[in-house]
Amino acid sequence: MIKIYRCVRIVLTIALLGIGSCSAPVKPEPTKTPIASAPQLELANLSFEQVNKQGQPLWKVRAQRGVYSPDRQRAKVTNLDGDLYQDGRIVMHVTAKTGEVEQAGEKVFLRGDVVTTETRNNLTVSGQEVEWQPKADLLIIRDRVRAEQPKFQVNATEGRYSTRKQQLDLTGKITAVASDPRLAMQTTHLIWQVKARRAIGDRPTQIQRYQGDRLTATVTANGFASQLDRQIINLQGKVQLNAVDPLIQVNGESFAWNLNREVVTADRPLTMVHQQQAVTFTANAGELDLQASTATLAGNARGVATRNRANISADRLIWQIPSQQLIGTGNVVYQQIDPLIKFTGARGVGKLQDRSIVVSSDSKQRVETEFVPN
């Protein structure tokens, strides 16, 4: 049921045939066939509301002026503000330049600099066109969509906000910015679980990490899930991270990036490449500490220096990137070509790119050496 409260002014088209006076009679003009005109109802300082079967409000709209359509099924209003309800409580406050209200109350259309404020989560969503579907608990925002909280902002082509789930589904050309930690993101589909403070993407995504104004890393991935309040991003599917300092590229299928600690952890096979030093490392799992410039690789860990054709494998490798110092533990095998040498032992320490690896043993495993002369 919709209740309407207003001041009413009815505008009718009236055929004026003549006005009596003391002047000389005027010869009447030829009678013209009157043109039918549907009365138009104009409303000033109006207020609409719709309630459910239990008498709880679904929405209330206030406007400076409104005009009903001839069939009385729609009302067009200007300079409006209103409240959207759920379970009898206000969940959204809206303002807009113009709007259109259906008599049946199924939809409310808002147009022109529409701003909606979600009262439960300090969320503001704006756009040029908004459609509110009360029965579906759905708000559809189109054209220059912007959604923001104090530390996270998103721009998109279209957004669909479920007031029941407190979830915003954004599509189109999407750019997002986080201020703490500072990130920029580009994708084409983003699910923002506002109450849970999670952002999820299932399309190719690019992410830039900044420290102040300085770019420190870029990432591409097929998808991601971010826990905004914990400053963690999980990256999935053909992930590539390019760090600026240290200058290293990391490729894999599943990364967890702790932005507070600046640590990237991979629980699946990964590859690390240092192009300046011409070394490549692979392992079943690993961790890159960007602050300490240290990489730890575990499970079939292997490093290859392509310039001097030397390689090392171990159960675990610790790579100190600035100094290029390596520490290998567990089933260490070091090999080089020209001269052809192979060492095996429990531990290996040194630099791979200048072939200065020293292999040692423990009480359980002795060092074995293979030397093949030219």
Side-chain angles (χ1 to χ4, degrees):
M1 181 195 333
I2 298 182
K3 300 177 182 178
I4 307 172
Y5 309 92
R6 75 278 189 188
C7 299
V8 180
R9 181 165 58 93
I10 302 179
V11 179
L12 298 175
T13 303
I14 303 175
L16 297 178
L17 300 179
I19 300 176
S21 69
C22 297
S23 59
V26 179
K27 184 178 180 180
E29 295 182 0
T31 303
K32 296 181 180 179
T33 304
I35 300 174
S37 177
Q40 187 181 54
L41 181 63
E42 294 185 7
L43 311 173
N45 299 321
L46 71 149
S47 176
F48 295 90
E49 72 172 35
Q50 184 192 19
V51 299
N52 59 19
K53 294 179 180 179
Q54 290 74 37
Q56 294 177 323
L58 293 175
W59 52 261
K60 294 181 181 180
V61 172
R62 299 163 294 278
Q64 187 178 44
R65 183 175 179 273
V67 179
Y68 257 121
S69 62
D71 60 3
R72 302 294 192 271
Q73 296 303 306
R74 294 179 180 85
K76 293 184 178 180
V77 295
T78 58
N79 297 328
L80 65 94
D81 70 90
D83 299 307
L84 312 180
Y85 290 74
Q86 185 174 282
D87 302 329
R89 298 174 57 189
I90 297 174
V91 295
M92 303 285 288
H93 179 74
V94 300
T95 61
K97 289 183 176 180
T98 64
E100 185 174 307
V101 181
E102 290 187 354
Q103 177 69 15
E106 298 291 335
K107 295 179 182 178
V108 178
F109 294 93
L110 309 172
R111 296 181 179 86
D113 298 335
V114 185
V115 178
T116 66
T117 303
E118 214 274 23
T119 58
R120 297 166 295 183
N121 298 292
N122 196 19
L123 172 71
T124 300
V125 185
S126 59
Q128 293 304 304
E129 180 179 301
V130 168
E131 177 183 335
W132 168 239
Q133 299 179 9
K135 292 184 178 179
D137 296 318
L138 180 64
L139 198 73
I140 303 173
I141 312 99
R142 303 183 180 94
D143 190 7
R144 287 172 278 172
V145 177
R146 180 176 177 84
E148 55 187 318
Q149 282 184 324
K151 294 183 179 181
F152 189 60
Q153 299 86 42
V154 184
N155 293 286
T157 306
E158 181 174 310
R160 301 171 71 89
Y161 186 69
S162 170
T163 58
R164 182 71 59 181
K165 295 180 180 179
Q166 300 180 49
Q167 176 175 299
L168 181 61
D169 196 323
L170 297 151
T171 56
K173 185 178 180 180
I174 296 172
T175 59
V177 175
S179 58
D180 183 22
R182 191 175 173 202
L183 293 173
M185 181 185 303
Q186 302 84 41
T187 188
T188 57
H189 184 216
L190 178 67
I191 299 171
W192 186 358
Q193 297 175 346
V194 180
K195 183 179 180 180
R197 299 188 58 77
R198 284 172 55 86
I200 301 170
D202 56 1
R203 308 284 171 80
T205 303
Q206 295 179 332
I207 301 174
Q208 297 82 41
R209 172 72 168 116
Y210 292 88
Q211 293 282 1
D213 294 329
R214 183 173 63 92
L215 178 67
T216 60
T218 61
V219 176
T220 59
N222 288 346
F224 74 94
S226 175
Q227 192 67 47
L228 299 172
D229 55 348
R230 293 175 55 200
Q231 301 187 3
I232 294 175
I233 298 179
N234 294 298
L235 304 155
Q236 301 95 27
K238 201 176 181 180
V239 184
Q240 183 179 100
L241 182 146
N242 291 280
V244 175
D245 186 17
L247 189 60
I248 187 173
Q249 183 182 102
V250 187
N251 298 277
E253 294 294 324
S254 177
F255 293 170
W257 189 1
N258 187 313
L259 297 164
N260 185 37
R261 295 173 51 216
E262 291 293 356
V263 172
V264 180
T265 304
D267 57 2
R268 297 182 187 177
L270 75 156
T271 302
M272 295 186 181
V273 180
H274 196 303
Q275 293 183 347
Q276 289 180 332
Q277 296 294 333
V279 292
T280 300
F281 289 86
T282 58
N284 291 343
E287 181 179 279
L288 173 62
D289 188 329
L290 294 170
Q291 289 184 339
S293 295
T294 301
T296 302
L297 301 111
N300 295 319
R302 178 179 170 83
V304 177
T306 56
R307 289 175 185 163
N308 56 21
R309 294 185 293 176
N311 66 80
I312 186 172
S313 61
D315 294 338
R316 180 183 175 90
L317 285 172
I318 298 175
W319 178 26
Q320 298 172 358
I321 300 171
S323 67
Q324 293 296 303
Q325 184 79 2
L326 278 175
I327 301 174
T329 55
N331 298 309
V332 175
V333 178
Y334 170 73
Q335 299 180 85
Q336 68 179 48
I337 297 174
D338 193 21
L340 182 60
I341 299 175
K342 179 180 180 181
F343 295 115
T344 60
R347 180 180 172 88
V349 179
K351 297 182 180 180
L352 187 61
Q353 71 273 25
D354 60 9
R355 302 195 300 186
S356 60
I357 301 293
V358 176
V359 179
S360 58
S361 65
D362 56 18
S363 58
K364 297 180 180 179
Q365 181 182 7
R366 66 178 184 176
V367 175
E368 295 185 2
T369 305
E370 294 182 20
F371 176 72
V372 180
N374 291 333

